[in-house]
Amino acid sequence: MNVSPIVFFSNPYIPDEISSSLREIGLQVLCVPVLETNYEKHEGNVKKAFENLQKIKAVIFPSHRSVLALGRIGINIRHLKWYALRESTANVCFDILSKIPEVTVKKGASELVEVLKTDPDLKEGQVIFLNGYRQKNSYIRQLKEFGVNIKSVCCFSTSSIYKADILNSLKGITPVGCVFFNISGIRIAYNALKSSEWSWKDKCIFATGEAIAKIIKEKKEIKRCDGVAQDSNLEGIKEMLQKFFQCKC
């Protein structure tokens, strides 16, 4: 079967199962990072948070970046209770830290809040939430209101990839579509490509959430979104693309 490239504007961590499933419908995933992640800057912050392990009851991994950040430190927290936001993060926990989280939340942060509020294991001890720099934490406030002793710990930050690097990644590539994972990614990719020969008209445009789709539609040279993943994780993206391209065939 001939395969056509589809661009994921994201960091290049795509499990083999996802890539293989998309290849079966003729899609070759090409990851083009738009954000560079800095872990080293925050290593001291993470080490300090885990200095007194006896006081910590659980740790929350909201993304694969949070797992990678802890993996760099080499702290043994296997005795703690682990929570992962979405199955893709849980899979990275196993790949990087060799443990499957005790609790994996599939639907998003709102479900995580409900799970933590009713978890009897969290009545005593601190819960560490491994967060990114300037990421919104409204649900952390909600959990504190319900008596969960939760602490947000910044373990990584991001910065924009240079325009030249994005253009070089796409040089000679004619993808059938693009997938946007976050609002910052839309801005960075759009600004990098608007002065090039890149055309949005001949590509299918996909988003990992309604808020992202809304921003895409507001962009002058795009003004549309061909599909929105019901679940904003890699499994949800895979299902969206399978449905779209299989129906199209």
Side-chain angles (χ1 to χ4, degrees):
M1 174 187 291
N2 293 328
V3 294
S4 301
I6 183 164
V7 174
F8 282 18
F9 284 112
S10 72
N11 289 319
Y13 185 86
I14 306 297
D16 290 340
E17 185 275 328
I18 299 293
S19 298
S20 298
S21 296
L22 293 177
R23 182 177 282 274
E24 289 176 2
I25 59 170
L27 298 176
Q28 175 66 50
V29 176
L30 171 64
C31 289
V32 176
V34 288
L35 290 170
E36 183 177 23
T37 306
N38 187 325
Y39 298 103
E40 185 175 356
K41 180 180 177 180
H42 306 279
E43 285 184 356
N45 192 36
V46 178
K47 288 178 181 178
K48 185 176 180 179
F50 287 97
E51 277 180 347
N52 194 342
L53 287 172
Q54 293 179 343
K55 292 184 178 181
I56 300 173
K57 183 71 176 180
V59 60
I60 300 170
F61 295 99
S63 68
H64 75 273
R65 287 191 180 98
S66 62
V67 182
L68 293 171
L70 192 63
R72 292 169 55 90
I73 304 298
I75 300 173
N76 185 0
I77 61 164
R78 294 177 62 84
H79 64 288
L80 303 179
K81 189 172 184 178
W82 293 13
Y83 297 80
L85 189 58
R86 302 189 176 91
E87 289 186 3
S88 56
T89 305
N91 291 337
V92 181
C93 284
F94 181 75
D95 293 341
I96 303 298
L97 303 175
S98 302
K99 176 182 171 179
I100 293 291
E102 285 82 0
V103 179
T104 299
V105 176
K106 298 181 179 180
K107 294 183 180 179
S110 58
E111 184 186 358
L112 176 63
V113 170
E114 294 304 313
V115 169
L116 292 171
K117 278 164 39 177
T118 58
D119 193 329
D121 290 341
L122 302 183
K123 290 183 178 180
E124 298 180 2
Q126 189 177 66
V127 179
I128 298 294
F129 185 96
L130 292 171
N131 207 9
Y133 183 63
R134 288 185 176 176
Q135 288 190 319
K136 294 182 179 179
N137 292 324
S138 59
Y139 40 89
I140 290 180
R141 176 181 52 78
Q142 296 176 45
L143 290 166
K144 287 183 177 179
E145 291 175 354
F146 279 90
V148 178
N149 181 16
I150 188 167
K151 179 181 180 181
S152 178
V153 176
C154 180
C155 61
F156 68 88
S157 56
T158 57
S159 58
S160 301
I161 294 289
Y162 288 115
K163 172 183 174 180
D165 292 332
I166 295 174
L167 292 175
N168 286 336
S169 297
L170 294 168
K171 189 174 182 179
I173 303 296
T174 305
V176 295
C178 306
V179 181
F180 288 101
F181 287 70
N182 51 62
I183 292 173
S184 295
I186 300 170
R187 172 183 57 80
I188 296 166
Y190 185 80
N191 290 339
L193 294 165
K194 66 182 179 182
S195 60
S196 69
E197 297 180 356
W198 179 273
S199 172
W200 297 102
K201 294 180 180 180
D202 59 354
K203 299 169 183 62
C204 301
I205 312 297
F206 304 97
T208 57
E210 293 293 346
I212 298 169
K214 181 177 182 295
I215 299 298
I216 293 172
K217 293 174 184 177
E218 292 173 355
K219 294 300 181 182
K220 183 179 179 181
E221 296 180 15
I222 305 179
K223 291 186 177 180
R224 62 186 169 83
C225 182
D226 299 295
V228 181
Q230 291 189 354
D231 293 321
S232 57
N233 53 31
L234 289 174
E235 190 65 31
I237 294 165
K238 181 191 77 173
E239 292 176 0
M240 171 189 65
L241 294 175
Q242 286 175 327
K243 182 177 180 180
F244 182 88
F245 284 99
Q246 285 175 341
C247 289
K248 199 173 181 181
C249 294

